[in-house]
Amino acid sequence: MIEIVEADITTLAVDAIVNAANCELAGGGGVDGAIHRAAGPELLPATRTLAPVRAGSAVLTSGFQLSARYVVHAVGPIWKDGQSGEAEELERAYEASFRVAWATGVVRSIAFPAISTGVYDYPRQEAAAIAVSVMLRHEGAFERIVACAYDPRTAQIYAALLAR
């Protein structure tokens, strides 16, 4: 089942949340900064041992002080022109997130932000179409997949795509 919620991803009651991370896994602004703050100071040293991570890849850490047991750190592409492999890298980032979450053997619920649509400037409509496509491919393997929107417009985009 795929749900759309407009919320702070750090507050969701799921087994794993996905972080829209940078290649250095160093925290930052937006979702990445919020997750690092909510998880507590243990997260940064844990991510430092895994960096750098290429765009289109994902790695796993504990959730530390989050209610989610795990954080999947997915590195999406920086939007250039739409002709530089961004769509393929974004799809790989979502696929890698599902793969590392599934590999734990215990993650049955997972929440995703709109990867790459913040400071990486990926157009929301195009990014959401890729996200929903990948989520639908994994729908049967997870009990709950959450598309966590940071604003009403993003939630509307996801809802329209899922209504098709």
Side-chain angles (χ1 to χ4, degrees), residues 29-155:
V31 170
D32 194 14
I35 289 172
H36 273 264
R37 285 188 299 277
E42 301 91 354
L43 182 58
L44 186 58
T47 59
R48 293 280 184 188
T49 66
L50 301 170
V53 176
R54 275 190 357 245
S57 301
V59 295
L60 186 82
T61 66
S62 167
F64 297 102
Q65 295 175 28
L66 293 163
S67 59
R69 183 172 177 184
Y70 297 103
V71 177
V72 176
H73 304 270
V75 180
I78 297 171
W79 178 260
K80 295 174 188 78
D81 57 9
Q83 304 300 312
S84 302
E86 297 99 315
E88 294 81 9
E89 280 187 344
L90 186 58
E91 182 175 358
R92 282 196 310 269
Y94 277 94
E95 286 289 351
S97 297
F98 278 113
R99 195 170 40 257
V100 300
W102 186 256
T104 66
V106 297
V107 172
R108 296 295 174 255
S109 58
I110 186 168
F112 288 86
I115 298 171
S116 286
T117 63
V119 297
Y120 283 7
D121 221 20
Y122 208 110
R124 286 189 284 183
Q125 183 72 39
E126 289 89 339
I130 292 167
V132 167
S133 173
V134 176
M135 288 175 184
L136 288 169
R137 286 197 295 260
H138 293 274
E139 192 174 21
F142 290 81
E143 293 171 10
R144 186 173 173 221
I145 298 171
V146 179
C148 186
Y150 57 89
D151 64 7
R153 179 68 187 126
T154 301

